[in-house]
Amino acid sequence: MADQYGIKAALERLGIKAENLGTSTGNQWVDTGKEYISSYSPADGALIAKVQLTDQEAYERVIVQAQEAFKKWREIPAPQRGEIVRQIGNALREVKADLGKLVSYEMGKSYQEGLGEVQEMIDICDFAVGLSRQLYGLTMHSERPSHRMYEQWHPLGIVGIISAFNFPVAVWSWNSMIAMVCGDVCVWKPSEKAPLSGVACQHIIAKVLSDNSLPEGISALIVGDYKVGEYLSKDHRVPLVSATGSTRMGKLVAQAVGQRLGRSLLELGGNNAIIVTENADMDIAIRGALFGAVGTAGQRCTTTRRLIVQEGVYDEVKNRLVAAYGKLVIGNPLDEKNHVGPLIDQDAVKMYLIAIEKVKSEGGKELVRGGVLQGEGYESGCYVKPCIIEAENHFEMVQQETFAPILYLLKYKTLDQAIEMQNAVPQGLSSAIMTLNMREAEAFLSAAGSDCGIANVNIGTSGAEIGGAFGGEKETGGGRESGSDAWKAYMRRQTNTINYSTALPLAQGIKFDI
Ligand code: NAD
């Protein structure tokens, strides 16, 4: 492995070896002795390391341990659980550079974005620490005399976390840090495309748990593909499965969890648009669209996939964007001079090429040509050119999420038309309008405006802060894993009514006297 970026030392400090165990009950690792999955870097194509798969037997051990741990963890007062999460946040601060590097190398996002992802984990920890003193319930006035009525929130038990490759560490923290202060225990199945990031996080959390003499089972790791994900979705001992990934996966998980009337929390695909009106600040609009479309090589759930532009400014936007795309530097994500890194693997490259061909066959016109890069620095075969295609909103490919840097340019006349186009896709994650006109902005944010979970003004579709509830509607799944009052998804609500009178009056004035 060429090591001009200090990967070897970072891996060593994170406890990653050439071959790693992949099942952890908390502080202990379980040797399943069988198959491994290999993690290759899309940056240079090198094998980074292998991780042992979790089998059914090891999974059983994890679940039994988690059940035991839950009995103890739920007894620890929430602010004390928050103290543990505070320590996890501090441990993450210490490894920020190394973990950011691993994320960048294993997943292919830029080192800056890798660092940003770890910073997001740290921010979530801080947020969860505050939450640990704010898991408020309501009190209400009883209709019966000398009665008291209130709601309280209790932990659910085991939270199963299934995560996607593109945010290999942050999504785990969105779920687990909130779930932990709520009193739940967590079993995490990271993406099979970025398992080392999962192993590294497990080392970090295991140390904090063991330093505090906490029991095994509070935070466990299992590794594998969809089959291991199915262990969680079909397991009645897992009351909540939080799954982040494609809509296809979300539908399968929702069915399996729904079959046993468990709860699922789904964060699925997006098909995000920016509307650029004739009243936009063009510098902001172009910069927002550019980062939104090519950042993380188009592999964010919030990536800008459609740019819906008013006809009066269409040519200006088109020309400026084409010029900006011409300045993009594509290459190794660890080299800070590069703007765009690789796609995750060659399957993703295939999907990108198919999408371009298909949209062209539907009538799309390539304004900035796509293609796969070859030659020195591109040996992994995963580097592609971000492209822009003039298209129509109803095209089959425009209606779908292709997880690659393809931007569809669409034209509109009136704002009503633009909002209709923005909403006329199956997904509902993120949306934005670029305008300095207050009426346009408010129309976009109104009930008749964007139907997405996220709607921004003069900001692109990607790069959300952790404080707001994050998630989307329609085929994006409706879940909110983190931010705002998302903690309620990780708890069960209990309504308590206490009678301190000497009588037993019934609600609704019902008489039942003997
Ligand atoms: P994916 O759906 O292929 O895989 C996601 C995870 O689901 C993996 O861990 C995988 O092993 C698991 N999985 C797949 N099939 C399963 C099944 N039948 N049962 C249980 N688990 C199963 O997604 P990906 O390619 O890793 O990630 C990209 C997708 O994730 C995109 O669609 C993107 O928009 C979405 N995503 C959404 C959000 C969000 O917050 N809305 C965030 C990140 C990624």
Side-chain angles (χ1 to χ4, degrees), residues 166-167 174 247 266-275 288-289 291-293 299-308 393 398 400-401 403 407 410 418-419 421-434 444-445 449-465 468-480:
N166 65 329
F167 278 89
W174 290 357
T247 295
L266 303 171
E267 293 271 27
L268 311 174
N271 190 351
N272 319 293
I274 298 179
I275 296 173
F291 178 72
Q299 298 169 108
R300 285 187 181 218
C301 50
T302 51
T303 290
T304 307
R305 309 211 176 273
R306 298 174 297 142
L307 198 62
I308 306 173
N393 201 52
V398 178
Q400 291 178 22
E401 178 196 50
F403 225 47
L407 179 67
L410 314 166
I419 292 173
M421 280 162 80
Q422 128 72 35
N423 291 343
V425 289
Q427 313 81 353
L429 181 52
S430 186
S431 59
I433 190 167
M434 298 290 180
F444 178 73
L445 300 176
S450 165
D451 65 0
C452 290
I454 296 165
N456 296 330
V457 177
N458 296 328
I459 295 175
T461 53
S462 65
E465 295 181 25
F470 181 86
E473 304 301 331
K474 303 192 297 188
E475 287 198 359
T476 303
R480 301 292 186 276

Side-chain angles (χ1 to χ4, degrees), residues 1-165:
M1 184 194 305
D3 203 20
Q4 69 189 106
Y5 302 108
I7 298 293
K8 218 169 149 195
L11 290 178
E12 228 170 84
R13 286 191 291 266
L14 292 168
I16 304 293
K17 305 188 185 80
E19 289 192 352
N20 299 271
L21 300 180
T23 309
S24 167
T25 54
N27 316 326
Q28 306 289 325
W29 292 85
V30 184
D31 189 346
T32 55
K34 292 191 186 128
E35 289 170 78
Y36 282 82
I37 40 176
S38 299
S39 181
Y40 293 94
S41 170
D44 58 10
L47 171 68
I48 315 174
K50 293 180 174 184
V51 186
Q52 220 177 50
L53 282 178
T54 301
D55 59 12
Q56 182 85 53
E57 204 182 315
Y59 173 76
E60 275 306 309
R61 266 182 76 175
V62 163
I63 292 294
V64 169
Q65 203 82 64
Q67 283 180 309
E68 283 308 305
F70 177 55
K71 291 179 195 156
K72 297 190 180 117
W73 186 239
R74 69 184 172 192
E75 296 301 325
I76 295 174
Q80 286 181 33
R81 297 194 294 253
E83 163 56 21
I84 302 301
V85 170
R86 190 187 66 77
Q87 291 180 33
I88 296 169
N90 283 348
L92 287 167
R93 283 179 170 89
E94 280 171 29
V95 298
K96 181 174 168 181
D98 288 339
L99 190 56
K101 204 168 273 185
L102 170 59
V103 166
S104 170
Y105 191 53
E106 188 175 35
M107 182 273 155
K109 62 177 63 176
S110 74
Y111 179 50
Q112 274 305 312
E113 290 180 80
L115 290 176
E117 188 165 341
V118 183
Q119 186 57 48
E120 187 168 337
M121 300 171 85
I122 295 166
D123 294 344
I124 289 277
C125 288
D126 289 351
F127 179 80
V129 176
L131 256 188
S132 71
R133 291 182 186 271
Q134 298 175 74
L135 303 172
Y136 302 136
L138 295 170
T139 64
M140 49 285 290
H141 289 265
S142 169
E143 64 189 48
R144 290 168 281 184
S146 300
H147 279 55
R148 188 162 71 84
M149 203 171 161
Y150 67 97
E151 286 175 354
Q152 59 175 338
W153 294 85
H154 290 310
L156 284 172
I158 301 175
V159 174
I161 302 165
I162 297 172
S163 60
F165 79 84

Side-chain angles (χ1 to χ4, degrees), residues 240-285:
L240 173 67
V241 177
S242 174
T244 305
S246 59
T247 295
R248 188 197 57 79
M249 174 280 291
K251 286 180 179 171
L252 293 169
V253 168
Q255 275 173 31
V257 178
Q259 193 74 26
R260 58 180 175 85
L261 295 183
R263 288 193 205 174
S264 49
L265 185 50
L266 303 171
E267 293 271 27
L268 311 174
N271 190 351
N272 319 293
I274 298 179
I275 296 173
V276 183
T277 83
E278 64 274 40
N279 298 305
D281 175 326
M282 278 306 160
D283 289 339
I284 289 183

Side-chain angles (χ1 to χ4, degrees), residues 151-194:
E151 286 175 354
Q152 59 175 338
W153 294 85
H154 290 310
L156 284 172
I158 301 175
V159 174
I161 302 165
I162 297 172
S163 60
F165 79 84
N166 65 329
F167 278 89
V169 293
V171 167
W172 167 65
S173 71
W174 290 357
N175 287 276
S176 61
M177 297 307 126
I178 308 292
M180 278 178 73
V181 297
C182 290
D184 298 314
V185 296
C186 300
V187 177
W188 177 27
K189 192 203 85 62
S191 166
E192 62 274 34
K193 295 176 190 169

